[in-house]
Amino acid sequence: DVQLQASGGGPVQPGGSLRLSCAASGLAFDDYAIGWYRQTPGKEREGVSCISSGGGRTYYTDSVKGRFTISRDNAKNTVYLQMNSLKPEDTAVYYCGLLEFFDGSMWYPPSGNDYWGQGTLVTVSS
């Protein structure tokens, strides 16, 4: 079975940093792009960042550009999201999922299989 596990969230003060991890198993990890979503109760899910299968192409939503960095270590089957200069509006549940392809903000999961990991909560407050 394909499994995606997001971790690394927690409470942090404004201006602080967190590093989220997305660990994958049960798949050829280096065949897939990976996307990070976030969601706050009562609000629409937002695509935050994604990275191509080889790590050479990335996307960031405007609100996190310059603050967040996505990377991947295919040898460890893990994608990371380094979040710096955190703001209260970054508070959300963050989760990761497989992507077959992405074109900027347009993300495409594998046909017939939409795999998303369980989220990890990030709370930014003083």
Side-chain angles (χ1 to χ4, degrees), residues 31-92:
D31 284 350
Y32 295 95
I34 301 291
W36 283 97
Y37 279 94
R38 66 185 179 187
Q39 188 165 32
T40 300
K43 297 183 178 180
E44 296 294 323
R45 187 177 68 172
E46 177 186 24
V48 177
S49 183
C50 56
I51 187 167
S52 60
S53 60
R57 189 166 66 92
T58 59
Y59 164 82
Y60 301 92
T61 193
D62 286 345
S63 64
V64 309
K65 286 180 179 177
R67 300 188 298 118
F68 291 11
T69 302
I70 192 169
S71 62
R72 67 190 295 161
D73 185 344
N74 285 350
K76 296 182 178 180
N77 286 5
T78 302
V79 168
Y80 304 98
L81 186 66
Q82 179 67 45
M83 306 187 297
N84 298 327
S85 302
L86 283 162
K87 304 175 180 180
E89 51 263 44
D90 295 317
T91 296

